[in-house]
Amino acid sequence: MTPGEPIRRTADDEKADLEQAVKHVMTEMYREWPNDAGFDGLKEEKGPIEIKVHGSIPSWAAGSLYRTGPGIFEINDTSQGKYTISHWFDGLAHTHRFDIIASGDEHATVMYSSRRQSEALMQQIQQSGRHAVYTFGQRNDPCMGLFSKFMAAFYAAIPKPGRPSSENVCVTVQVSPPGFGTGTKEDKPNGKSPEPGQNLGHRSGYPASVWLATDTSSYRQIDPMTLEPIGFATQATLHPDLKGPLSCAHGQRDPMTGDMFNFNQNFGKDAVYRIFRVSAATGKTDILAVIQRAGLSPSYIHSFYLSPSFAIICIPSSHIAWNGLKIAWERSVLDAIKPFDENDKCKWFVIDRLHGRGVVAEFETPAGFFFHTVNSFEETDEQDEKDGTVSLFCDVIQYATTDVLRALYYDTITQKNGATQKFWDSEQRVHDTNATLVRHKVRVPVNVAGGTPGSKAQIPPQLKPETVVSIAGPHCGELPTINPAFSTKRHRYCYGLANRGLSTLVDTIAKTDMDTGEALWWNTPAGHTPGEAIFVGRPGAVDEDDGVLLSVVLDGEAATSYLLCLDARTMKELGKAEVGFAIGLGFHGAHAQA
């Protein structure tokens, strides 16, 4: 397999490329994936094993690339027969590591290992024939009566001994996050697991600690070398007030201090959002703001923003019914989300993270949904200097509605029983689920007093945002990444997984130039599905795109996977390391420098 030259598309091609993608979706229905490639019968390779490199991966990219995401989605031998997991987000957790090892000839060798993270949950499903606690989108059993549904909701709400081992935590990888010095030890038959939060040391260049996160307030610690689950914690471990069940998987890190920022979401008459910071220097957690307003809804939120001066939370139009309590009734976050309403605008809150002023500004944008923020930064122009403001920019991959959440059921992705055609039943739905890279700009007053961080009645200025960049897919894509050296700074390039209508999921990696609107696509071989592209910068580099992209790619025809290394400047393939078997299509990862 030798891909040709990358495909360059200008801003003038954007409309035509979107129309072509819509045409592909509406007229070229997809065949089934061979052998459910990448989803069933996934191999656990505790290794590590050496995998063959074709071409070359530069030695300066040496380190450990951790990847996590869903693995097994069918369990055959349960007490109720075969149990099939409905939604991609609920596949049983499987973590992978690629060790990129520098060698004398300036080219790296690669070792691979992996570990399942939800064996206790799988055992529970085998015994009962169903998932005992909450899921993201598991379809309900149509035979479950009203009484059974009530009891299931009641049962799921009761804390149970050993529950940490049954949590399915598999969305993001957090390398050495601050604050988790204590927690709950994972249940292990031999009783020899390290204590949670324990610094295991830099063994052979591995990080001190690795934790997995999801969109709840739960975290799982894994051994950086063996990938064994060894510890569990919740945000209440960090601060007793962080007792709500939901958070976002993409907690932000200050690139200068290493401090961690996130929010905790609790339910009640009105939703409560607590934005907090964990100091990397002291491990102490501070509540920066408490946001609780009449009519403020709980929502499913996957990420938020950090700029040099602010933490910014956007509450999208993915509101959870019954003030959040419908999750317990449905046992599914997705089924608890209200039908999309264009009147439910996105609500934004800007929190001072430097001077303790709490919420200093609010604004609204049209109703919509997003999974992933990209970056946030600040600049000051002549008008800002005149008005006493700072221009705040927030970049996001956004959608017109919440339909994209239902596009990710396994039967839709894998084309089972015509589910793909049934879902993509209109051009409007295709447009509504097309990703758009948007840059919002808002001028934030510098000297606003704000309110006490613990106050529930902060009424800051209502600002008027503007959209200064809007680039439609497939000129942009999902699971966006940037050069991490440009986090909280103005950046030009964004790397994402784009869908040109040639796949039921994504079919290329796009380099998007936010200054020109130009897109540069990796010339993907037919039937290959890439994963999130993680940027590793060349040591001493000055240019923003001087580095490589690392992506785990599934070859759907051969049912095998490989680690791809692209030149981030040219989007040309430098090398790939072939695993020899399929790795489940995952979500996110992290590169820990050797």
Side-chain angles (χ1 to χ4, degrees):
M1 180 269 290
T2 305
E5 289 295 309
I7 302 169
R8 188 176 299 275
R9 307 300 289 165
T10 70
D12 293 336
D13 299 318
E14 181 182 320
K15 183 178 179 180
D17 288 335
L18 174 56
E19 290 176 350
Q20 184 65 31
V22 173
K23 180 181 178 181
H24 280 311
V25 171
M26 297 305 299
T27 63
E28 299 179 14
M29 291 297 104
Y30 319 98
R31 34 193 190 115
E32 294 190 11
W33 287 35
N35 303 316
D36 290 332
F39 293 109
D40 197 16
L42 294 170
K43 183 177 181 180
E44 182 182 46
E45 179 54 71
K46 296 180 181 179
I49 59 172
E50 183 171 355
I51 56 178
K52 187 175 182 179
V53 177
H54 299 270
S56 65
I57 298 175
S59 285
W60 50 260
S64 294
L65 176 68
Y66 292 90
R67 298 287 309 167
T68 197
I72 291 173
F73 83 108
E74 286 187 347
I75 303 172
N76 292 313
D77 51 351
T78 83
S79 61
Q80 304 297 318
K82 184 166 75 172
Y83 180 87
T84 301
I85 293 172
S86 306
H87 200 280
W88 187 29
F89 293 1
D90 289 322
L92 300 187
H94 200 145
T95 302
H96 313 264
R97 190 186 68 243
F98 293 84
D99 289 323
I100 303 171
I101 303 168
S103 56
D105 60 359
E106 297 185 357
H107 301 301
T109 58
V110 180
M111 309 292 289
Y112 169 80
S113 56
S114 75
R115 186 97 182 205
R116 293 171 183 160
Q117 303 294 332
S118 295
E119 290 180 332
L121 175 58
M122 182 159 50
Q123 292 171 5
Q124 176 267 304
I125 293 173
Q126 287 172 333
Q127 293 170 4
S128 66
R130 63 186 181 88
H131 197 303
V133 290
Y134 305 134
T135 67
F136 179 83
Q138 185 67 15
R139 291 189 174 112
N140 284 325
D141 182 350
C143 297
M144 183 181 287
L146 183 64
F147 179 75
S148 296
K149 204 167 187 179
F150 173 80
M151 291 307 296
F154 178 75
Y155 175 77
I158 301 174
K160 292 170 284 297
R163 178 177 171 180
S165 295
S166 297
E167 293 274 353
N168 193 37
V169 183
C170 66
V171 178
T172 60
V173 179
Q174 312 289 329
V175 176
S176 302
F180 290 118
T182 60
T184 302
K185 186 176 179 180
E186 285 284 349
D187 298 327
K188 292 296 169 189
N190 60 16
K192 296 180 181 179
S193 296
E195 291 299 325
Q198 179 177 341
N199 186 320
L200 300 175
H202 292 272
R203 296 173 293 171
S204 302
Y206 294 116
S209 70
V210 175
W211 292 76
L212 307 180
T214 184
D215 292 314
T216 70
S217 58
S218 300
Y219 300 82
R220 165 158 287 120
Q221 185 183 18
I222 63 174
D223 186 298
M225 187 167 66
T226 68
L227 304 180
E228 177 188 16
I230 57 174
F232 183 87
T234 69
Q235 289 176 347
T237 302
L238 303 172
H239 192 289
D241 288 347
L242 304 178
K243 54 191 176 184
L246 298 186
S247 185
C248 77
H250 292 275
Q252 296 286 341
R253 297 288 288 272
D254 185 315
M256 301 299 294
T257 66
D259 293 352
M260 182 176 73
F261 295 78
N262 208 331
F263 67 86
N264 177 267
Q265 181 182 170
N266 208 351
F267 304 147
K269 181 178 179 296
D270 299 301
V272 182
Y273 296 85
R274 289 181 171 86
I275 289 78
F276 64 89
R277 173 187 57 218
V278 186
S279 169
T282 67
K284 179 184 176 183
T285 298
D286 296 312
I287 308 295
L288 300 179
V290 178
I291 304 170
Q292 184 176 15
R293 306 284 168 77
L296 185 63
S297 296
S299 285
Y300 166 63
I301 309 173
H302 187 62
S303 59
F304 86 131
Y305 297 91
L306 192 72
S307 74
S309 304
F310 308 109
I312 308 104
I313 181 172
C314 173
I315 301 174
S317 311
S318 46
H319 297 169
I320 300 171
W322 305 353
N323 293 324
L325 298 181
K326 196 173 183 183
I327 292 178
W329 179 255
E330 299 289 354
R331 297 198 301 152
S332 160
V333 173
L334 183 51
D335 287 339
I337 293 175
K338 296 178 182 178
F340 181 79
D341 185 344
E342 63 181 12
N343 295 313
D344 292 333
K345 294 185 177 181
C346 298
K347 298 183 182 298
W348 297 66
F349 299 87
V350 182
I351 299 100
D352 170 42
R353 72 177 182 93
L354 299 179
H355 308 294
R357 296 180 298 155
V359 178
V360 295
E362 295 181 15
F363 60 96
E364 293 183 341
T365 54
F369 174 73
F370 69 95
F371 289 114
H372 296 108
T373 63
V374 178
N375 193 25
S376 184
F377 59 94
E378 303 162 23
E379 292 180 347
T380 303
D381 59 19
E382 291 183 1
Q383 183 176 338
D384 287 317
E385 292 177 354
K386 176 182 177 181
D387 297 341
T389 58
V390 60
S391 290
L392 174 65
F393 298 85
C394 296
D395 297 348
V396 63
I397 300 291
Q398 71 177 35
Y399 299 90
T401 70
T402 54
D403 280 355
V404 66
L405 291 167
R406 298 189 178 276
L408 299 175
Y409 278 112
Y410 274 122
D411 56 4
T412 301
I413 297 174
T414 59
Q415 177 58 308
K416 290 297 184 184
N417 302 318
T420 307
Q421 294 96 323
K422 292 175 184 176
F423 182 81
W424 302 110
D425 59 355
S426 71
E427 288 192 16
Q428 186 61 52
R429 172 166 280 183
V430 178
H431 278 283
D432 288 346
T433 53
N434 185 59
T436 302
L437 175 55
V438 174
R439 174 170 287 171
H440 299 286
K441 176 184 177 181
V442 65
R443 297 183 186 273
V444 180
V446 173
N447 296 316
V448 170
T452 305
S455 169
K456 298 179 182 179
Q458 302 169 43
I459 308 296
Q462 299 292 318
L463 307 181
K464 294 183 178 180
E466 58 179 313
T467 298
V468 293
V469 174
S470 180
I471 301 171
H475 280 217
C476 69
E478 256 298 353
L479 304 181
T481 57
I482 64 171
N483 181 339
F486 286 76
S487 176
T488 72
K489 303 175 184 177
R490 176 178 280 273
H491 69 102
R492 179 173 179 177
Y493 302 111
C494 178
Y495 303 91
L497 308 184
N499 188 355
R500 296 168 293 174
L502 305 178
S503 166
T504 55
L505 197 58
V506 294
D507 56 59
T508 189
I509 302 173
K511 176 184 181 181
T512 306
D513 187 328
M514 296 194 68
D515 289 352
T516 67
E518 182 178 87
L520 191 60
W521 292 330
W522 172 46
N523 197 347
T524 321
H528 291 221
T529 302
E532 176 190 50
I534 293 181
F535 188 98
V536 180
R538 184 190 303 273
V542 175
D543 294 339
E544 183 182 340
D545 58 355
D546 189 359
V548 296
L549 300 175
L550 301 176
S551 172
V552 180
V553 181
L554 174 66
D555 178 348
E557 297 291 335
T560 60
S561 296
Y562 57 92
L563 175 65
L564 172 71
C565 181
L566 292 179
D567 184 321
R569 189 191 303 274
T570 65
M571 298 300 285
K572 293 181 179 180
E573 179 181 318
L574 298 176
K576 63 177 182 179
E578 294 184 334
V579 179
F581 47 84
I583 294 175
L585 291 172
F587 301 136
H588 300 287
H591 179 268
Q593 202 78 34

